[in-house]
Amino acid sequence: MATPLTSGALTSHLAQVFAQYPIEVVHGEGVWLHGRDGRKILDFYGGHAVAGLGYGHPRWLAALERQARQMAFQTNALPMLIRERAAARLSKFVGLGLDTVFWINSGAEANENALKLAFKLTGRSKIVALEQGWHGRTAAAGAVTWGALEKWYGFPRTPFDVAFTPRDDPAAIDQIVDRETAAVIVEPVQGVGGAYDVGKPMLQALRTRCDDVGALLIFDEVQCGTGRTGAPFAANFHGVAPDMLTAAKALGNGFPVSALLLSDRVAGNLKYDDMGTTFGGGPMACAVAEAVIDTIESESLLANVRQVSMYIRTSCIVGPVTAIQGAGFLLGLKTSRPAKEVQAALLAKNILTGTSADPHILRLLPAYILNEGHVDRLSDALARISA
Ligand SMILES: Cc1ncc(COP(=O)(O)O)c(C=O)c1O
């Protein structure tokens, strides 16, 4: 979530729907952004959780260039090895029996398809989502996003029944998830909701209740997945397997790609035409997803995320930061002052961070290549901001 530090003054032909930061970026390398004004900014925001490998990673560039020269696009009606290979790579990376992949283009589109499949497969009409959860801007994904109806939804009505359950109360689940429920959708670590780790007990309780009433469990790992927790996915991090899992953002490291992963139970019920897409599964997107997973594994980036995340937790409770929540590189720094003030003060010291729906949580979503030296710069800057 961009913070309204200033209104969008850089352009006049763009729809004015985004609050924008007061820096125009022209170039990025690794974890650094270069502004038009010559400023060099340390990026703890990662293009809103997208730049997992950082900017201009050579393997990512090479995969894009190779695939662009070979074949930049081809429809799903024509088989391509890269599409198959990337799906196999992603399934293997996740494990947990999520062995079937449907490629699409954005997080919301992946969630939209997951929800549609849940209705088709169960014949039911209700979805349960978590309070403070965020799932995207389309009709179905927006319907299950906490607070969307009051703030920006725009459609005359939601396309199905939705109930929200508290994110920290396993005891409430049995009342809300019932035999009318087609699916429960949950971000295992909430992003917009404040880098809040829903945690294993809650996820396990949802898994058990879904099994009891015949509902499907969907993990939205658009933000918390693809290595961000220091595990392949948060499902691995918590050891709870969903029936469907959605991935996007860091999966493409900036090239648009998303994926819906299905368990055998779900995939076994698919029929032709249940889902479709033009750009999803494009060879460039698949080459990039494969390169991202290869890079995470071959450069031991999951271990780096775990190690540097721990370092952030031990060194960054300084200045206005009173506590740290979240997992891996999806961290929420609790601030004594409004997080937006701390964010602005950090940006003045050339460090970019994010905020969240919680006004006292500063959100960090850095690239997996971040090191302890970068964290020292953050903790030094925080120490110079008054509490
Ligand atoms: C958890 C989560 N789900 C879904 C989405 C929507 O993804 P997209 O913007 O790619 O449609 C987001 C975007 O921020 C997200 O954080």
Side-chain angles (χ1 to χ4, degrees):
M1 174 185 290
T3 307
L5 295 177
T6 183
S7 62
L10 293 176
T11 59
S12 57
H13 291 278
L14 292 172
Q16 295 298 297
V17 293
F18 297 105
Q20 294 190 311
Y21 299 99
I23 38 163
E24 186 190 344
V25 286
V26 289
H27 176 61
E29 48 181 345
V31 295
W32 295 97
L33 296 170
H34 296 266
R36 181 170 300 286
D37 58 3
R39 283 169 75 188
K40 194 176 164 198
I41 292 163
L42 181 54
D43 184 11
F44 278 83
Y45 189 53
H48 201 77
V50 168
L53 303 184
Y55 304 105
H57 194 289
R59 285 177 195 250
W60 179 85
L61 285 172
L64 265 181
E65 187 182 347
R66 199 167 46 239
Q67 192 58 51
R69 289 185 191 283
Q70 200 174 325
M71 180 169 289
F73 182 74
Q74 195 45 259
T75 162
N76 284 282
L78 293 182
M80 287 196 75
L81 179 61
I82 183 64
R83 193 179 288 133
E84 281 287 349
R85 214 171 60 203
R89 197 81 175 76
L90 179 57
S91 296
K92 189 159 169 259
F93 186 52
V94 186
L96 303 175
L98 296 164
D99 290 336
T100 300
V101 176
F102 178 61
W103 295 110
I104 42 279
N105 309 287
S106 70
E109 192 184 4
N111 288 333
E112 199 87 3
N113 278 284
L115 295 166
K116 184 177 75 174
L117 277 189
F119 292 121
K120 276 183 169 256
L121 298 186
T122 63
R124 300 176 180 181
S125 60
K126 172 181 155 187
I127 298 291
V128 173
L130 263 60
E131 293 177 1
Q132 283 84 32
W134 176 278
H135 302 289
R137 298 260 179 187
T138 50
V144 294
T145 290
W146 175 253
L149 260 64
E150 297 76 31
K151 291 190 192 130
W152 50 259
Y153 189 63
F155 298 96
R157 65 192 70 86
T158 60
F160 44 79
D161 300 330
V162 183
F164 289 94
T165 194
R167 64 186 183 180
D168 57 355
D169 186 4
I173 294 170
D174 286 3
Q175 289 291 319
I176 296 172
V177 180
D178 55 20
R179 290 183 188 282
E180 299 295 306
T181 306
V184 175
I185 185 164
V186 50
E187 295 168 85
V189 185
Q190 292 184 334
V192 174
Y196 176 88
D197 185 2
V198 167
K200 182 167 180 153
M202 184 72 190
L203 296 174
Q204 191 61 63
L206 289 170
R207 175 71 278 174
T208 302
R209 182 63 180 165
C210 283
D211 289 342
D212 287 350
V213 299
L216 296 166
L217 182 60
I218 303 167
F219 279 2
D220 175 347
E221 298 222 24
V222 166
Q223 186 162 151
C224 66
T226 322
R228 187 153 295 282
T229 59
F233 282 84
N236 309 101
F237 181 77
H238 283 307
V240 179
D243 301 293
M244 295 187 251
L245 183 151
T246 57
K249 291 195 187 279
L251 184 60
N253 193 50
F255 194 92
V257 55
S258 70
L260 168 59
L261 287 114
L262 309 173
S263 68
D264 288 353
R265 183 158 72 108
V266 174
N269 285 293
L270 281 182
K271 299 189 299 300
Y272 283 136
D273 254 2
D274 274 348
M275 299 184 287
T277 168
T278 295
F279 290 123
M284 304 233 341
C286 291
V288 154
E290 183 185 53
V292 165
I293 297 168
D294 273 348
T295 307
I296 288 174
E297 290 192 327
S298 60
E299 298 186 3
S300 303
L301 294 182
L302 297 180
N304 189 62
V305 169
R306 293 194 295 271
Q307 182 186 322
V308 179
S309 174
M310 193 56 75
Y311 189 64
I312 294 174
R313 282 178 181 273
T314 52
S315 63
C316 288
I317 305 188
V318 287
V321 179
T322 58
I324 299 182
Q325 65 184 30
F329 276 180
L330 173 44
L331 290 176
L333 275 49
K334 286 195 183 194
T335 52
S336 52
R337 292 167 54 182
K340 280 179 184 163
E341 290 177 15
V342 180
Q343 181 194 42
L346 284 171
L347 193 53
K349 300 181 192 315
N350 292 331
I351 294 178
L352 181 64
T353 54
T355 54
S356 75
D358 182 330
H360 283 271
I361 293 284
L362 191 73
R363 194 165 26 144
L364 305 184
L365 307 153
Y368 310 160
I369 55 173
L370 191 86
N371 64 37
E372 294 180 358
H374 300 132
V375 176
D376 289 340
R377 288 174 183 256
L378 175 64
S379 55
D380 289 351
L382 285 167
R384 285 184 280 122
I385 297 170
S386 56

